[in-house]
């Protein structure tokens, strides 16, 4: 993970001046999505880069210890070994960026990854995920317990009510408390953008989260009706860029929810390269929250190597 964001004071004057040009955002977002993608070896290389930025996620009500063990095995071996050997990439240490689970499953993930002999970090959602509507002391305790159980990354979720009502000082204070409760664990702040009402609110919430010390800002829980979209992402990465220019602090970005295809992954990488630069093409500053994306990427890699698409039994762990 990257160096921590130490945070800054809350700059209400900056927040009050924010206005987002929605038509311009929509035009730029459409341009990114319709651009021609890379092909052949270049595409395969970009897809392998995307693999290293995936937070492989299990956030279902029926998660069990065995599900988490399988998830951790897949995180360590995201692409079949013979496919990597055919591309001469078998010795490059390609793994998922992290495993993301509920707090109750952190111990299972830590145990499984330790048994597998790898150092992939465990990320835990917290703070009343996905709604963020539990009592503050309960949300703080959830963060502390996840860290105690071995989570090295915490994906907190904000109380969206504070954004909708413009209570920026309260939001800033809550995120600062979550940051303190994380200790040495890196903190990703989920904005729940589908619930925030406007692109202007999304930009303002992004600024407040970064001022409060978030190491990443994240679009969604994956449980909202609208999750990661390119207009929302464009607003958030522009906030990251503006914050970096003003403070010198780099903050990461994580889209989550609805990202399912290799083509989607290439478009997100293109967005990061064009808007933020090459530093944001690394897992230190870019993550993708996904549960099914890896399967499609592996199918595309299989096709690149063999010239044919995989049957269901060819990729049993996908």
């Amino acid at each position: 993970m990257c160096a921590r964001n130490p945070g800054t004071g809350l700059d209400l004057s900056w927040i009050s001046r924010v206005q987002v040009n929605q038509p311009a955002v929509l035009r730029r977002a459409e341009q990114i999505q319709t651009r021609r993608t890379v092909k052949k070896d270049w595409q395969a290389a970009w897809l392998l880069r995307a693999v290293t930025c995936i937070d492989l996620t299990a956030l279902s009500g029926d998660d069990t210890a065995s599900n988490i063990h399988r998830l951790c095995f897949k995180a360590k071996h995201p692409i079949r070994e013979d496919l990597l050997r055919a591309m001469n990439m078998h010795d490059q240490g390609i793994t998922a960026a992290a495993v993301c689970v509920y707090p109750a499953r952190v111990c299972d993930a830590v145990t499984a990854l330790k048994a597998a002999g790898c150092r992939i970090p465990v990320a835990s959602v917290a703070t009343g995920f996905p709604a963020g509507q539990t009592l503050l002391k309960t949300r703080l305790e959830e963060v502390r317990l996840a860290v105690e159980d071995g989570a090295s990354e915490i994906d907190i979720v904000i109380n969206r009510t504070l954004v909708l009502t413009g209570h920026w000082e309260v939001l800033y204070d809550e995120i600062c408390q979550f940051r303190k409760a994380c200790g040495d664990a890196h903190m990703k702040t989920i904005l729940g953008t589908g619930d925030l009402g406007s692109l202007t609110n999304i930009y303002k919430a992004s600024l407040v989260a970064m001022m409060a010390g978030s190491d990443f800002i994240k679009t969604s829980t994956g449980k909202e009706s609208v999750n990661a979209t390119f207009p929302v992402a464009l607003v958030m990465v522009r906030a990251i860029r503006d914050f970096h220019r003003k403070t010198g602090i780099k903050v990461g970005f994580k889209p989550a929810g609805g990202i399912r295809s290799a083509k989607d992954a290439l478009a997100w990488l293109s967005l990061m390269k064009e808007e933020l630069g090459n530093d944001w093409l690394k897992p230190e500053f870019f993550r993708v929250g996904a549960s099914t994306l890896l399967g499609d990427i592996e199918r595309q890699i299989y096709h690149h190597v063999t010239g044919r698409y995989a049957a269901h039994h060819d990729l049993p762990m996908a």
Side-chain angles (χ1 to χ4, degrees):
M1 258 285 199
C2 55
R4 302 298 303 277
N5 172 13
T8 67
L10 178 63
D11 188 345
L12 287 174
S13 64
W14 184 2
I15 294 167
S16 66
R17 294 193 303 269
V18 169
Q19 291 292 332
V20 174
N21 184 338
Q22 183 169 334
V25 169
L26 296 178
R27 284 195 301 272
R28 173 64 175 143
E30 184 178 4
Q31 181 187 48
I32 292 168
Q33 294 176 81
T34 56
R35 183 162 298 167
R36 292 179 63 186
T37 59
V38 290
K39 301 295 183 183
K40 298 186 178 180
D41 288 351
W42 287 103
Q43 183 182 83
W46 277 68
L47 289 176
L48 290 179
R49 172 57 60 90
V51 167
T52 67
C53 295
I54 292 176
D55 281 0
L56 202 56
T57 301
L59 295 172
S60 299
D62 58 356
D63 287 338
T64 64
S66 60
N67 289 355
I68 301 305
H69 289 167
R70 173 174 166 155
L71 185 81
C72 292
F73 181 88
K74 189 60 178 174
K76 184 181 179 183
H77 305 283
I79 306 294
R80 259 177 36 179
E81 180 75 10
D82 60 316
L83 300 178
L84 291 176
R85 284 187 177 278
M87 301 169 68
N88 198 30
M89 295 295 290
H90 60 285
D91 57 353
Q92 297 302 304
I94 293 176
T95 68
V99 169
C100 185
V101 297
Y102 276 118
R105 302 265 72 92
V106 168
C107 284
D108 294 332
V110 170
T111 300
L113 290 169
K114 184 176 181 180
C118 63
R119 302 180 62 183
I120 298 172
V122 174
S124 173
V125 296
T127 67
F129 180 94
Q133 293 282 3
T134 53
L135 294 173
L136 178 59
K137 64 179 181 181
T138 304
R139 287 180 278 156
L140 288 167
E141 185 64 13
E142 192 173 38
V143 173
R144 296 187 190 103
L145 290 173
V147 172
E148 286 177 11
D149 285 346
S152 55
E153 301 177 8
I154 303 294
D155 287 28
I156 69 158
V157 59
I158 66 169
N159 182 345
R160 274 80 95 191
T161 300
L162 299 177
V163 176
L164 296 172
T165 56
H167 287 93
W168 304 114
E169 298 97 330
V170 180
L171 178 63
Y172 174 83
D173 182 64
E174 284 196 357
I175 298 174
C176 285
Q177 291 186 62
F178 297 146
R179 170 74 159 74
K180 183 177 180 181
C182 284
D184 292 333
H186 283 69
M187 185 175 76
K188 309 189 200 91
T189 298
I190 307 170
L191 303 184
T193 54
D195 297 334
L196 297 188
S198 71
L199 295 178
T200 297
N201 276 347
I202 291 168
Y203 187 100
K204 290 180 177 181
S206 299
L207 285 182
V208 173
M210 291 185 287
M211 291 172 184
S214 301
D215 299 300
F216 271 70
I217 53 175
K218 178 178 172 182
T219 59
S220 324
T221 65
K223 308 295 185 181
E224 296 94 13
S225 58
V226 179
N227 292 291
T229 67
F230 281 93
V232 161
L234 187 61
V235 169
M236 293 177 68
V237 299
R238 292 280 176 91
I240 289 171
R241 190 171 70 186
D242 294 344
F243 186 76
H244 178 238
R245 284 176 175 172
K246 186 166 184 175
T247 67
I249 299 169
K250 292 181 179 178
V251 175
F253 175 66
K254 179 179 175 180
I259 304 172
R260 298 185 176 90
S261 72
K263 183 178 179 181
D264 291 339
L266 294 173
W268 285 102
L269 286 170
S270 178
L271 170 69
M272 302 309 293
K273 181 176 178 61
E274 292 185 18
E275 292 291 329
L276 292 174
N278 289 339
D279 283 351
W280 276 268
L281 292 176
K282 304 172 184 176
E284 290 81 6
F285 291 110
F286 179 60
R287 300 288 182 85
V288 178
S291 55
T292 60
L293 170 63
L294 180 57
D296 192 58
I297 290 179
E298 191 171 20
R299 281 188 288 273
Q300 297 302 320
I301 295 294
Y302 184 97
H303 180 268
H304 173 76
V305 171
T306 67
R308 61 184 177 86
Y309 285 104
H312 181 71
H313 61 270
D314 288 323
L315 304 172
M317 290 296 295

